[in-house]
Amino acid sequence: STGSSGINAEYGDDTDNEDYFIMLETPTIEHLTLCVETLKSSKKLAPTLDRDVKVLQPSAASQRYELSSDFFRVTKEDLMTEQKRRAEEAERSEMLRTKAIRDRDAGIGMRIYHYTIIRIRFPDGLLLQGTFSAHDTVESIFKFVENALRHPVSFSLITPGCPPLKRDKTLLKAAGLVPSGLMNLSTNERSEFTLLSDELVCKLTSL
């Protein structure tokens, strides 16, 4: 098709299958200047990150099994072995600590991540997954979950070994959620159905 610039887009034949452009007429300086000014004054389009939303069902291999109490019984030999292992690990850590600090200060071994995969585990075991920018905020995760719910419920998000996440403007990279993050959704809502919307449940895939 021909635009205001006078450039016509054509399509190649079956042999090359490539696009090429034809200048229908020799443009004047005034016309080219107008085209440049039009481009400069055009509104910049900001790309939108696709969340690539997925709902995952943990495989049978990852399910929790009931074990007998004998499995968790610790013997004297187990304690001595563990004590020795920790002592050796502490010694190695002390030897490597100085070099690790130097490398960290120099930025050695550090990678820059622009995106992160966030997974939220629901009470029924289903995982809600989405792709976020490292510059997104913790609040964006809460909004992501809210949009995925069957109906509004009060909830909190908890990362393993940490207190519940605060719903604020903290960047995901500053919150330690880059390049990936896993959290549990906690709620007092009790239902025989999943909290996720029917639309998302239809996308259920095995992990």
Side-chain angles (χ1 to χ4, degrees), residues 118 132 137-145 157 172 177 183:
I118 299 297
F132 291 78
T137 64
V138 173
E139 182 181 18
S140 67
I141 298 181
F142 280 83
K143 291 181 178 179
F144 173 65
V145 173
L157 298 176
L172 298 186
L177 297 173
M183 56 201 69

Side-chain angles (χ1 to χ4, degrees), residues 14-32:
D14 293 337
T15 58
D16 54 28
N17 197 30
E18 293 183 356
D19 299 349
Y20 57 90
F21 299 91
I22 298 176
M23 186 71 70
L24 297 180
E25 58 185 22
T26 303
T28 62
I29 297 299
E30 291 77 9
H31 182 68
L32 291 177

